[in-house]
Amino acid sequence: MTDTNAQVYAVYLTAAATEAGVARPAGYVTNRVVWDGTSAWTPGSGSAIVADPDGQFPIGGTYTPSTGYALAGASSATAGTALPLTLTPDHDGPATKTTVTLSDGGAGGTFSASTVTFGAGVNTAQGVTYTPKAAGTVTISATNTGGLTNPASLSVTVGAAAT
């Protein structure tokens, strides 16, 4: 019988350590395991895991978990015109799937998607658009579920739509 929930994880050091007389840096990948994610198992003291179904973090390699992410976009826009925004995790991506929620502080604009998701161990940028409703200054902010440091808010000066 095959467990369809099982996936491959890379086990990495959470802090520098010496193993068998050899110094290893934080992030050093010590093992790869297949785990269903629900049964009782822990990676051991001083270690953590990241989902790695594509083999991106082989034994002896390094995984550096994200500690934050960036929010980028233009500082000016026109009311009613979509403004591209990009959210990018730092380092090798978060250790767990992380959802980022965007807000315009109640300014009434619309996002093409109000949330984006960073996959575990994936540092791929995510793009959305924001369409401001009216002229003025809008502050776009982002918060996340994965314990990452949120980026500074993006201040956008919105000009009136051409008539």
Side-chain angles (χ1 to χ4, degrees):
M1 182 169 140
T2 302
D3 185 343
T4 58
N5 293 321
Q7 63 178 302
V8 177
Y9 292 83
V11 180
Y12 65 95
L13 298 175
T14 57
T18 300
E19 295 180 335
V22 178
R24 305 283 188 212
Y28 181 85
V29 177
T30 60
N31 201 359
R32 294 179 52 76
V33 298
V34 177
W35 179 44
D36 66 9
T38 58
S39 61
W41 178 77
T42 58
S45 178
S47 296
I49 62 170
V50 61
D52 189 23
D54 299 328
Q56 183 177 342
F57 308 111
I59 294 173
T62 302
Y63 165 69
T64 306
S66 291
T67 56
Y69 60 104
L71 167 62
S75 60
S76 62
T78 303
T81 301
L83 169 71
L85 302 173
T86 305
L87 295 110
T88 309
D90 63 4
H91 305 297
D92 290 328
T96 60
K97 180 175 151 182
T98 300
T99 301
V100 175
T101 302
L102 296 160
S103 172
D104 70 356
T110 56
F111 293 95
S112 58
S114 60
T115 64
V116 298
T117 302
F118 297 137
V122 179
N123 68 349
T124 304
Q126 301 292 318
V128 298
T129 61
Y130 172 73
T131 305
K133 182 176 180 180
T137 300
V138 175
T139 301
I140 297 173
S141 62
T143 57
N144 75 93
T145 61
L148 302 177
T149 299
N150 293 315
S153 296
L154 179 65
S155 181
V156 180
T157 302
V158 180
T163 56

